[in-house]
Amino acid sequence: MSHDSSDDPTVPIVCDDCGTRTRVPLSDLADLIERHNETRHDGDSVATVEPELAEQIADLVTEDLGLLEE
């Protein structure tokens, strides 16, 4: 299910249990993480988006949605 587009940004993913660090196309991110966790870790959510990036995205979404405004 890979998209062959050079315009598709890549996202870093990590799996500390396997020692895996790679970048995957954003359009394939969810499927690839799910497949890795299903095949390597019995479905446990071990592989994730790079934690620093995930935190930055969460901060941006929180700010964009105005969740911290009174």
Side-chain angles (χ1 to χ4, degrees), residues 37-59:
N37 286 330
E38 284 294 326
T39 60
R40 305 277 177 147
H41 306 294
D42 295 325
D44 292 338
S45 296
V46 178
T48 62
V49 171
E50 174 70 45
E52 287 183 24
L53 178 60
E55 186 176 322
Q56 289 175 359
I57 292 170
D59 289 346

Side-chain angles (χ1 to χ4, degrees), residues 13-22 36 41 46:
I13 59 171
V14 298
C15 180
D16 290 331
D17 284 9
C18 295
T20 302
R21 295 192 177 287
T22 191
H36 176 91
H41 306 294
V46 178

Side-chain angles (χ1 to χ4, degrees), residues 2-3 5-15 19-30 32-33 35-36 47-54 56-57:
S2 183
H3 298 275
S5 172
S6 61
D7 294 335
D8 201 5
T10 59
V11 179
I13 59 171
V14 298
C15 180
T20 302
R21 295 192 177 287
T22 191
R23 296 184 74 87
V24 300
L26 179 59
S27 59
D28 295 334
L29 178 65
L32 292 173
I33 288 177
R35 182 172 45 194
H36 176 91
T48 62
V49 171
E50 174 70 45
E52 287 183 24
L53 178 60
Q56 289 175 359
I57 292 170

